[in-house]
Amino acid sequence: EIVLTQSPATLSLSPGERATLSCRASQTVSSYLAWYQQKPGQAPRLLIYDASNRATGIPARFSGSGSGTDFILTISSLEPEDFAVYYCQQRSNWPLTFGGGTKVEIK
Amino acid sequence: QVQLVESGGDVVQPGGSLRLSCAASGFSFSSYGMHWVRQAPGKGLEWVTFIWSDGSDKYYADSVKGRFTISRDNSKNTVYLQMNSLRAEDTAVYYCAKELGRGYYFDYWGQGTLVTVSS
C-alpha cells in the first residue's frame, strides 16, 4: 500500500497570504495524484488531478506541481473560503489511498 | 447537474449488516465507475471500494475485503454497498463518489450517510 504523508498538519495563515502544502508518497506514483478540499460538514471537492490539472470550476489561484514522490499544492492568495482541510490521493496503485490531511486555518 | 444521494445509514450492532444505496442523476450513469469512500468521526478519508461502469470488476480496501460487497443496477442508476460483519471501526460517514473518467479520482460526491456500529 502506498502511504501518503502530508505536511504540515496545520498551516496558520492570513487571507491574502500564499499557502504551500506538501504531499510525499512512500513510493513513486508518477503524476497520478489528486488534491481535495473539505470544509466542515461537507463532502470533499476535487481541486487538482494528475498532479497539475485543475478540475472543472476550480479558481486559478489553486495550482499543483510535482511528480514521482513529492507533490505541492499552492494557493497563491488565500481567500476566506479557502480555509479548510486539504487531502492528497494517489491512483497509481490499488488500494487507492489518501494522505492524512493539512488543515489551513486563519491566523 | 450531477447529483448523488446516499441512503441507508443507521445504528447497527457489532456483527450486524446494512445496505447503503446511492441514487445518481445528471450524468450517464452506465458510463462511469463508482466508488464508496468513508470518513470516521473527526478523521481523514478512507477509500472503501470501486466498481467498473458495467459492474464487471470491483476493488476493495483490505479493511473491508470479504465483508463488504459493492454492486450496481444501471437500469436504476443506483450503486449499493452491502456491509456484513460490521465492526465498531466501520463507524463512519459513507460517501458515494463518481469517478472522474480520466483515472480513479472522485469528481462528484454525495452528501454522505452515517453508519454507527455500537451495542
Side-chain angles (χ1 to χ4, degrees):
Chain A
E1 171 174 320
I2 295 176
V3 176
L4 299 178
T5 302
Q6 292 188 241
S7 61
T10 303
L11 199 51
S12 298
L13 294 169
S14 300
E17 289 193 296
R18 182 183 188 91
T20 303
L21 288 67
S22 172
C23 177
R24 175 163 289 177
S26 59
Q27 63 189 79
T28 183
V29 299
S30 186
S31 294
Y32 300 136
L33 190 106
W35 292 91
Y36 300 83
Q37 176 194 68
Q38 187 179 33
K39 298 178 182 179
Q42 295 185 17
R45 177 174 71 145
L46 177 65
L47 300 175
I48 301 287
Y49 65 94
D50 287 347
S52 60
N53 295 297
R54 270 190 303 277
T56 302
I58 301 304
R61 64 181 181 273
F62 292 92
S63 63
S65 62
S67 65
T69 61
D70 291 291
F71 300 86
I72 297 289
L73 174 69
T74 301
I75 311 170
S76 59
S77 178
L78 282 164
E79 297 287 340
E81 61 268 27
D82 299 336
F83 292 91
V85 179
Y86 293 83
Y87 295 95
C88 56
Q89 175 244 327
Q90 65 83 22
R91 69 118 174 147
S92 176
N93 283 14
W94 298 100
L96 308 181
T97 50
F98 289 92
T102 290
K103 181 179 182 180
V104 178
E105 64 175 23
I106 299 176
K107 187 174 181 179
Chain B
Q1 72 281 23
V2 173
Q3 274 201 308
L4 299 170
V5 179
E6 302 97 334
S7 60
D10 205 346
V11 179
V12 60
Q13 292 190 338
S17 297
L18 208 56
R19 189 177 86 153
L20 306 182
S21 300
C22 171
S25 60
F27 66 102
S28 178
F29 181 74
S30 61
S31 298
Y32 292 90
M34 296 294 294
H35 299 265
W36 287 95
V37 177
R38 68 184 181 183
Q39 187 169 34
K43 303 297 184 183
L45 300 168
E46 180 188 16
W47 170 79
V48 175
T49 181
F50 171 76
I51 185 168
W52 280 24
S53 57
D54 61 0
S56 61
D57 207 358
K58 307 168 186 180
Y59 298 89
Y60 296 93
D62 285 347
S63 58
V64 306
K65 202 171 291 183
R67 301 187 299 122
F68 289 13
T69 303
I70 189 171
S71 62
R72 64 191 295 158
D73 185 338
N74 285 347
S75 69
K76 296 183 178 179
N77 287 0
T78 301
V79 61
Y80 304 98
L81 183 64
Q82 178 67 43
M83 303 186 294
N84 298 331
S85 303
L86 282 160
R87 306 166 179 167
E89 54 264 35
D90 296 318
T91 294
V93 173
Y94 284 74
Y95 296 100
C96 69
K98 170 186 166 292
E99 69 152 336
L100 175 62
R102 290 166 221 164
Y104 300 110
Y105 302 119
F106 322 99
D107 63 348
Y108 288 94
W109 299 63
Q111 84 288 348
T113 188
L114 177 62
V115 173
T116 302
V117 184
S118 173
S119 54

